[in-house]
Amino acid sequence: AQTVTQSQPEMSVQEAETVTLSCTYDTSENNYYLFWYKQPPSRQMILVIRQEAYKQQNATENRFSVNFQKAAKSFSLKISDSQLGDTAMYFCAFMKHVRPGYALNFGKGTSLLVTP
Amino acid sequence: EAQVTQNPRYLITVTGKKLTVTCSQNMNHEYMSWYRQDPGLGLRQIYYSMNVEVTDKGDVPEGYKVSRKEKRNFPLILESPSPNQTSLYFCASSPQRGGRYLETQYFGPGTRLLVL
């Protein structure tokens, strides 16, 4: 079974500090995609960052970066210079191949609170 | 503006009364999918469609139907809703590159359904 585990249900960080959200996954595939999605109180699902497994370089989007460890099947999200607007639920997602198509397999989420 | 739209955004209904949640995308995406989100469970896939007239079950298809008669539309049908289908529903779409790997999925704003 292909699963995604987010071991931190809730986290808190002060404004301007750095926080890391962890995610591990399990798969037997060699090529796949990993995603982090943000869900603010509005409930909209917003893509934060995407990593392609065949790329060794860690993806970066402004203040958001990942630490992708393929052998360890780990995909953590680092948020630098945290802002109040980063308060949200964060979901790690893994693309799983289900014949004949595919689907995003989501973790249960980490609720991040950024405090002043 | 490129987007995925869902209607209605909020719906309260009673057990057994058939309902349809519409989903439409204007990005000419081949792939579309429905997810439900429940507290503590993350998002789980209900159905997906690789293209017109091609649909398949996701992880939690029981009690739902879908159709894909046009590329842009992917309605979710609850023939006889029950209280355990009370949830937040998301439609998503993505382009299909090379037929195998999933591009980034773009989500609609969500439909909050309450079945009494």
Side-chain angles (χ1 to χ4, degrees), chain A residues 21-32:
Chain A
L21 280 58
S22 65
C23 173
T24 59
Y25 59 94
D26 185 28
T27 182
S28 56
E29 297 191 17
N30 191 44
N31 291 321
Y32 46 87

Side-chain angles (χ1 to χ4, degrees), chain A residues 29 31 33 35 37 39 43-45 47 50 91 95-104 106-108, chain B residues 31 35 37 40 42-43 45 48 50 56 59 90 96-97 100-105 107-109 112:
Chain A
E29 297 191 17
N31 291 321
Y33 290 113
F35 304 85
Y37 278 88
Q39 188 179 46
R43 297 297 189 180
Q44 178 72 44
M45 292 292 288
L47 178 68
R50 180 178 101 159
F91 292 99
M95 180 217 78
K96 66 177 180 178
H97 192 224
V98 289
R99 293 184 184 277
Y102 36 75
L104 282 178
F106 285 85
K108 295 183 179 181
Chain B
Y31 182 92
Y35 296 88
Q37 182 181 12
L43 281 79
Q45 190 186 45
Y48 68 92
M50 299 287 286
D56 210 342
D59 294 323
F90 287 100
Q96 194 164 307
R97 179 174 63 86
R100 176 174 173 82
Y101 295 112
L102 182 66
E103 291 283 340
T104 300
Q105 287 200 8
F107 284 80
R112 188 172 292 279

